[in-house]
Amino acid sequence: MTRGGRQDETRGVPRAGFAVGVDIGGTTSSAVLLGPDRTVLARAQARTPAADGGRAVVATVADLVRRVDPGAQADVLGVGATGVVDVDDGRVVAATSAMPGWVGTVLPDRLRECLAERRWRDVGALNDVHAFVLAEAWLGAGDGVTDVLGVTVGTGVGGGFLATGRLVRGSRGVAGHLGHVPVPAASGRRCPCGAFGHVEAVSAAPAMLAEYRRVAGGDGAQVPDLAAVGRRAGDGDVFGREVLAHGGRCLGEALAGVVAVCDPAVVVVGGGVADAGALFLDPLQDALRAHAHPVVASVPVRRAALGQDAVGVGAALHVLTGAP
């Protein structure tokens, strides 16, 4: 993958022009078209055909690119993908059971093939939550600070960390995978990664939805997704409020140790659960304060500002800036 461009150490200096950014999640994929001023000009979304394997997912993404940029204005394409992604070649090197056949997919190569009718100046890929934290740190809720811990709660629990404005990836590219931090409440519960006791087993959307269906009984079994649980909770549903609060508390407890290691200036929380707002975030903040070292316990927890655009925007900026 060709890089190019120059980057300021803390913010990046994006190259001019149009860019498409893609978000590949375990449930939904989306694309955004960024204009030269970095505003989102168009959006498109589709269900991720995760069970059908990597080729089907890439074909869906290619269709989203065509839909969001029918005039082929963009010559830069950035992808934020679920799983562990090698940023050097855009290869998915690890993924959970939610994405069978995903490992081994070289995203830039496959997308160039599927979009062969277009001339790309640069195509790159990185982990979706790494893209999320880049976007929120540069343009969203973390704007103005250089040490940002980003957390997303959706099909899984993910994270990313910017230290002095630079994305921390670690020696294996998995830095920030917060969903695999153990918490007592998850003891004996299997995480989608195959291990037991990880916070993703209690705080991810599928886990909270399953818990709601269990405790609510009756018509609770018919609730389709966590967004519906959030709506019920907002209307006063006691079971929904407690399930969201429990998930938030568990994640806050997991983050208590993480913030002691990373010492971020702010924690930014996004993903589908962010729509639940204070019902999830307040218990998270309370648990973090209760369990964290006193020096870092006051770190603010903010709701992500860019919503569903964050991963796509961050993926596009990653390629535009040549961010390491």
Side-chain angles (χ1 to χ4, degrees):
M1 177 178 64
T2 303
R3 276 290 169 218
R6 294 177 57 83
Q7 184 210 358
D8 177 85
E9 185 165 328
T10 60
R11 280 294 182 265
V13 181
R15 294 173 297 186
F18 293 86
V20 172
V22 173
D23 173 6
I24 304 176
T27 303
T28 304
S29 293
S30 60
V32 295
L33 176 64
L34 289 189
D37 62 352
R38 305 305 163 232
T39 57
V40 175
L41 302 178
R43 300 173 178 86
Q45 187 179 84
R47 181 188 66 84
T48 303
D52 298 331
R55 287 188 174 273
V57 173
V58 171
T60 296
V61 169
D63 181 62
L64 286 171
V65 173
R66 295 186 184 100
R67 285 167 54 191
V68 81
D69 183 25
Q73 299 177 87
D75 61 358
V76 168
L77 174 60
V79 180
T82 184
V84 180
V85 180
D86 185 338
V87 295
D88 290 332
D89 63 2
R91 182 187 303 272
V92 180
V93 298
T96 69
S97 58
M99 294 286 284
W102 191 227
V103 173
T105 304
V106 183
L107 291 166
D109 291 353
R110 290 291 301 126
L111 283 165
R112 286 184 186 274
E113 291 171 9
C114 289
L115 295 162
E117 75 276 11
R118 302 192 178 206
R119 298 177 66 88
W120 297 104
R121 174 160 52 107
D122 204 351
V123 182
L126 74 166
N127 170 263
D128 55 351
V129 190
H130 288 176
F132 162 84
V133 73
L134 281 176
E136 288 292 339
W138 289 348
L139 299 176
D143 190 24
V145 297
T146 59
D147 296 272
V148 180
L149 177 63
V151 185
T152 60
V153 183
T155 305
V157 176
F161 180 56
L162 259 70
T164 61
R166 298 175 69 88
L167 186 64
V168 177
R169 295 197 179 89
S171 63
R172 298 172 182 83
V174 299
H177 274 64
L178 303 175
H180 309 295
V181 174
V183 292
S187 179
R189 298 197 182 194
R190 185 183 291 274
C191 177
C193 76
F196 290 88
H198 295 175
V199 70
E200 188 165 301
V202 289
S203 293
M208 288 190 284
L209 176 61
E211 180 65 8
Y212 179 81
R213 289 171 173 169
R214 186 186 71 81
V215 300
D219 69 343
Q222 307 304 314
V223 174
D225 51 34
L226 192 67
V229 174
R231 290 192 292 272
R232 288 188 173 204
D235 291 336
D237 183 291
V238 174
F239 296 115
R241 296 175 76 90
E242 179 50 36
V243 165
L244 289 169
H246 177 71
R249 287 193 296 269
C250 291
L251 184 55
E253 185 173 350
L255 291 177
V258 176
V259 298
V261 174
C262 298
D263 189 19
V266 63
V267 177
V268 179
V269 181
V273 78
D275 292 339
L279 295 174
F280 184 84
L281 295 181
D282 283 357
L284 187 162
Q285 177 93 72
D286 291 344
L288 193 160
R289 287 175 175 163
H291 292 279
H293 188 286
V295 173
V296 295
S298 62
V299 61
V301 176
R302 297 179 187 168
R303 180 178 177 178
L306 300 178
Q308 295 183 352
D309 292 339
V311 173
V313 169
L317 290 174
H318 173 255
V319 181
L320 283 165
T321 62

